[in-house]
């Protein structure tokens, strides 16, 4: 519990990296962060917009520039979609924002990193699948998973630009307009990559996640999805970010799970995809 | 030491013979079962924690989307998701043992018998100081607001709870009524020891692109700073009509917001939606009231209903 804190963090940078996509850096002597965890940002002192906004942690910056999960700052990747993110995009280095976090569970790194046959099955090839902004939390994950493959699906060139930072991984891209990589959806790439010893980690729009989960299910491999939801508190109190549990899997006897405190990362079979 | 005692008594308030170290409580449904906030705020500095509404059996709640942000507020239709009274007593309440703040259980039933049974189960629970009856939830099909908008039904619920418990009874009223005074008198005549208000205002948001309600349940309860002026007005009206203490709530974010309610007649306040934005909000409100009391060389008790009009 002590790790979960609310604090004012100084902005170190806040730059547009691709059309309407921004990367913001926040000074923060972080506790240990698990890839897939998120923070709740308050973008204004005023009461409008009222609620905090959830953002997946994109990167942890440490003084040595190493792929550490502790650091002296974090980076978030965000797209300007409404009032809250517009206000955030206008903030300058030196200004402060109120950060609550790190929150949520994150991807189960020990499970994913244990290769070979073990009690969780074989996870020799981790396929990290991101759609649009869903690529954000996968960056930190990719830093820890050296042998994985990154698949990205986006609308076109502007979104595909988000993958530039991924280095040292095999990256495959699909765009809807065909301007970069394969023309079509990321699920086409996933079909080609999936094998019996794969595990999938995915984040993106619900439609994409649904398709990814179905493919992983057919292949009989584990699929960990990071879900998005509107939420008020981020700490399991408001119960606003409920998603319906699947009929099978570990959550079968529970009707709803909270994206903020039970997730945001779930085993895909623990989710009722029809209800989403 | 003496000075500290004086400072603390200047902040204290009393409801139904129970002394609270300060007049700030957390509103039911916004603070979980208390321990969710243990890592973010000092629960010992609250007047009371009012836990999430409890039903006899666990409730799953409504499908999503359950919440949507609105100007200066939010709509919610959670549907009283809760662990049920048995799990609360076994697993949640013991975690709050030893805290300096009081604990109040909020209860919700679909029938009058449910309310009575809940009150009975909680009667001898160690660590509870009172029961708050929710007859004002706008987000469930049965019970809830049905009891809260009809003075005769409201009185029947209160009467049944009153007979089933030795604990002080607080009745939480809905603002979705024409004349709050009628409800206040009805629940007082039925034996409530205090009245809390306001619960959320029924509201709705429409997704114009899809031409559908934003919330899965179509309507929800509006909370947050947007409703504060309505809440202050209703507390003021209720306080004038009431013989029992009023607990005021609705959009409180700062100490100044809370003081509006106290000056208008509330003996205590509850902080709700603000805890979502700042988990430490209620403690900050209590600290701000302490500053005000010091600055004005007064006490919370003197401030209650000290509004000057005319």
């Amino acid at each position: 519990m002590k790790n979960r804190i609310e604090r004012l963090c100084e902005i170190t940078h806040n730059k547009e990296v691709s059309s309407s996509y921004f990367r913001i850096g926040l000074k923060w002597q972080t506790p240990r962060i698990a890839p897939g965890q998120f923070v709740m940002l308050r973008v204004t002192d005023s009461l409008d917009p009222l609620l905090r906004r959830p953002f997946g942690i994109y990167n942890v910056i440490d003084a040595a520039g190493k792929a550490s999960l502790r650091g002296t700052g974090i980076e978030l990747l965000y797209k300007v979609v409404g009032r809250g993110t517009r206000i955030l995009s206008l903030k300058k280095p030196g200004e402060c924002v109120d950060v609550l976090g790190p929150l949520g569970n994150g991807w189960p790194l020990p499970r994913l990193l244990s290769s070979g046959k073990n009690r969780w099955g074989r996870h020799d090839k981790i396929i990290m699948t991101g759609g649009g902004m869903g690529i954000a939390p996968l960056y930190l994950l990719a830093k820890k998973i050296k042998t994985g493959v990154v698949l990205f699906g986006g609308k076109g060139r502007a979104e595909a630009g988000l993958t530039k930072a991924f280095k040292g991984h095999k990256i495959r891209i699909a765009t809807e307009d065909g301007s970069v990589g394969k023309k079509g959806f990321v699920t086409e790439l996933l079909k080609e990559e999936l094998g019996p010893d794969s595990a999938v980690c995915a984040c993106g729009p619900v439609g994409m996640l649904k398709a990814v989960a179905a493919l992983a299910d057919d292949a009989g491999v584990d699929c960990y999805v990071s879900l998005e939801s509107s939420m008020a508190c981020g700490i399991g109190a408001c119960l606003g970010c409920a998603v319906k549990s699947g009929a099978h899997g570990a959550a079968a006897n529970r009707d709803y799970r909270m994206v903020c405190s039970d997730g945001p990362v779930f085993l895909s079979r623990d989710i009722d995809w029809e209800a989403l | 030491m003496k000075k500290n005692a004086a400072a603390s008594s200047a902040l204290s308030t009393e409801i139904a013979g129970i002394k609270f170290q300060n007049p700030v409580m957390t509103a039911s449904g916004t603070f979980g079962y208390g321990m969710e906030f243990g890592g973010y705020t000092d629960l010992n500095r609250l007047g009371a924690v009012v836990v999430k509404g409890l039903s006899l059996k666990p409730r799953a709640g409504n499908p999503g989307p359950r919440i949507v942000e609105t100007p200066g507020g939010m709509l919610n239709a959670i549907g009283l998701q809760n662990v049920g009274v048995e799990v609360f007593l076994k697993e949640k309440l013991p975690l709050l043992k030893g805290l300096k703040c009081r604990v109040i259980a909020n209860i919700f039933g679909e029938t009058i018998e449910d309310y009575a049974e809940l009150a009975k189960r909680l009667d001898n629970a160690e660590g509870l100081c009172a029961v708050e009856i929710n007859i004002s939830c706008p987000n469930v099909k049965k019970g809830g607001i049905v009891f809260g908008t009809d003075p005769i039904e409201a009185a029947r619920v209160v009467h049944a709870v009153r007979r089933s418990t030795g604990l002080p009874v607080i009745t939480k009223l809905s603002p979705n009524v024409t004349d709050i005074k009628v409800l206040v008198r009805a629940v007082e005549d039925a034996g409530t020891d205090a009245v809390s208000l306001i619960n959320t205002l029924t509201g709705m948001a429409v997704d114009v692109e899809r031409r559908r309600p934003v919330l899965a349940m179509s309507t929800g309860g509006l909370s947050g700073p947007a409703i504060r002026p309505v809440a202050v007005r209703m507390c003021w009206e209720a306080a004038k009509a009431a013989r029992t203490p009023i607990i005021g709530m609705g959009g409180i974010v700062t100490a100044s917001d809370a003081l509006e309610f106290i000056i208008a007649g509330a003996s205590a306040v509850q902080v709700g939606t603000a805890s979502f934005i700042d988990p430490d909000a209620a403690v900050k409100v209590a600290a701000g009231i302490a500053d005000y009391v010091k600055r004005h060389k007064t006490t919370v008790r003197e401030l209650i209903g000290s509004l000057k009009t005319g």
Side-chain angles (χ1 to χ4, degrees):
Chain A
M1 288 298 263
K2 266 187 200 154
N3 277 349
R4 301 174 162 191
I5 31 179
E6 181 209 358
R7 60 176 60 235
L8 279 177
C9 294
E10 188 186 328
I11 297 169
T12 52
H13 54 277
N14 190 16
K15 280 186 193 144
E16 191 163 14
V17 290
S18 190
S19 172
S20 79
Y21 291 92
F22 285 74
R23 206 159 85 190
I24 189 169
L26 302 169
K27 234 185 238 177
W28 179 14
Q29 195 69 47
T30 68
R32 190 178 170 81
I33 285 170
Q37 283 193 298
F38 67 102
V39 292
M40 295 287 282
L41 286 197
R42 201 169 169 199
V43 298
T44 172
D45 293 341
S46 84
L47 300 173
D48 183 30
L50 182 68
L51 302 176
R52 290 173 181 270
R53 299 286 188 271
F55 296 94
I57 296 169
Y58 172 75
N59 193 14
V60 177
I61 308 163
D62 87 331
K66 283 199 187 130
S68 170
L69 294 178
R70 281 177 196 272
T72 55
I74 59 166
E75 279 188 307
L76 311 173
L77 188 66
Y78 65 96
K79 185 184 184 183
V80 176
V81 290
R83 236 174 91 70
T85 42
R86 193 168 312 116
I87 291 168
L88 188 61
S89 73
L90 297 173
K91 296 216 178 275
K92 302 269 181 293
E95 288 184 67
C96 288
V97 283
D98 184 334
V99 180
L100 183 68
L103 303 168
N105 57 359
W107 274 285
L109 266 188
R111 265 187 210 204
L112 293 167
L113 290 174
S114 59
S115 60
K117 185 87 178 151
N118 58 41
R119 65 194 174 99
W120 298 307
R122 287 185 78 93
H123 286 165
D124 289 345
K125 178 182 178 187
I126 311 293
I127 308 175
M128 292 164 271
T129 309
M133 270 312 301
I135 197 72
L138 292 174
Y139 181 68
L140 195 55
L141 182 68
K143 270 183 151 184
K144 294 308 286 184
I145 295 178
K146 302 282 188 304
T147 55
V149 181
V150 177
L151 307 180
F152 177 79
K155 290 204 166 63
R157 190 169 295 278
E159 282 189 339
L162 300 175
T163 60
K164 271 183 207 153
F166 285 75
K167 283 172 192 132
H169 287 89
K170 179 181 168 190
I171 297 185
R172 298 185 64 193
I173 296 170
T175 52
E176 286 172 40
D177 64 5
S179 56
V180 185
K182 192 179 178 105
K183 184 172 161 56
F185 292 124
V186 71
T187 40
E188 296 304 314
L189 303 176
L190 181 60
K191 272 181 210 162
E192 294 168 20
E193 295 288 341
L194 262 178
D197 55 357
S198 307
V200 180
C201 295
C203 184
V206 168
M208 178 205 112
L209 292 181
K210 225 180 247 191
V212 167
L215 285 175
D217 210 27
D218 287 347
V221 304
D222 284 347
C223 176
Y224 297 92
V225 295
S226 175
L227 297 183
E228 269 195 352
S229 171
S230 43
M231 55 181 72
C233 71
I235 59 174
C238 76
L239 307 179
C241 59
V243 290
K244 205 155 195 285
S245 300
H248 309 289
N253 57 349
R254 297 172 56 187
D255 286 289
Y256 289 98
R257 312 195 80 194
M258 297 304 134
V259 170
C260 72
S261 53
D262 295 321
V265 176
F266 296 94
L267 252 180
S268 64
R269 57 177 169 271
D270 286 348
I271 300 297
D272 180 351
W273 293 97
E274 294 306 312
L276 266 183
Chain B
M1 197 58 199
K2 218 173 184 180
K3 211 174 171 185
N4 279 347
S8 76
S9 78
L11 271 186
S12 71
T13 190
E14 199 178 298
I15 290 164
I18 298 164
K19 197 170 171 185
F20 295 86
Q21 61 179 353
N22 69 57
V24 183
M25 307 174 175
T26 62
S28 178
T30 63
F31 212 70
Y33 304 99
M35 287 318 290
E36 288 88 339
F37 286 74
Y40 302 98
T41 191
D42 186 356
L43 300 171
N44 287 311
R45 294 172 65 193
L46 293 168
V49 167
V50 186
V51 301
K52 175 86 185 155
L54 299 165
S55 47
L56 278 177
K57 296 268 162 61
R59 284 178 67 99
N62 293 331
R66 291 178 170 186
I67 59 166
V68 58
E69 190 179 44
T70 55
M74 63 181 279
L75 286 167
N76 87 79
I78 307 301
L80 288 168
Q81 175 178 342
N82 78 95
V83 296
V85 68
E86 295 308 327
V87 174
F88 169 72
L89 287 173
K90 239 180 263 154
E91 295 173 18
K92 306 288 182 182
L93 185 58
L95 299 178
L96 298 173
K97 212 173 157 183
L99 289 176
K100 279 192 205 151
C101 69
R102 305 253 185 208
V103 181
I104 297 173
N106 180 290
I107 58 169
F108 160 82
E110 290 182 0
T111 64
I112 288 173
E113 292 72 32
D114 284 357
Y115 281 104
E117 184 61 28
L118 277 160
K120 215 174 280 173
R121 299 277 177 94
L122 295 168
D123 193 26
N124 291 316
E126 196 190 336
L128 275 188
C129 82
V131 171
E132 182 180 58
I133 317 174
N134 179 1
I135 51 166
S136 44
C137 178
N139 296 324
V140 289
K141 283 200 188 89
K142 284 193 256 173
I145 206 161
V146 179
F147 294 117
T149 50
D150 179 340
I152 294 167
E153 291 296 312
R156 288 177 65 203
V157 173
V158 173
H159 187 65
V161 171
R162 174 72 291 162
R163 277 193 315 187
S164 308
T165 181
L167 288 170
V169 174
I170 302 162
T171 307
K172 187 168 177 178
L173 297 181
S174 168
N176 303 301
V177 294
T178 311
D179 186 354
I180 196 69
K181 297 189 287 294
V182 175
L183 269 298
V184 170
R185 288 187 197 116
V187 297
E188 284 188 340
D189 289 345
T192 198
D193 297 295
V195 171
S196 58
L197 76 167
I198 60 177
N199 205 322
T200 55
L201 287 152
T202 313
M204 183 172 178
V206 174
D207 179 339
V208 295
E209 294 301 323
R210 295 162 61 232
R211 302 191 197 180
R212 297 181 69 87
V214 176
L215 297 176
M217 300 303 286
S218 296
T219 61
L222 181 64
S223 66
I227 71 167
R228 201 184 70 231
V230 177
V232 171
R233 185 267 298 172
M234 294 192 95
C235 276
W236 180 57
E237 287 177 352
K240 284 192 293 182
R243 301 185 300 268
T244 59
I246 300 289
I247 303 169
M249 80 194 88
I252 294 173
V253 177
T254 65
S256 164
D257 300 344
L259 286 159
E260 285 195 40
F261 286 85
I262 293 170
I263 292 166
S267 296
V269 295
Q270 293 182 2
V271 175
T273 302
S275 295
F276 294 154
I277 305 148
D278 178 0
D280 199 29
V283 164
K284 284 178 184 156
V285 168
I289 293 174
D291 286 347
Y292 179 93
V293 162
K294 212 168 155 192
R295 190 157 50 85
H296 287 262
K297 297 189 174 58
T298 182
T299 65
V300 165
R301 285 177 203 226
E302 274 176 19
L303 286 169
I304 298 166
S306 61
L307 185 75
K308 300 167 202 163
T309 53

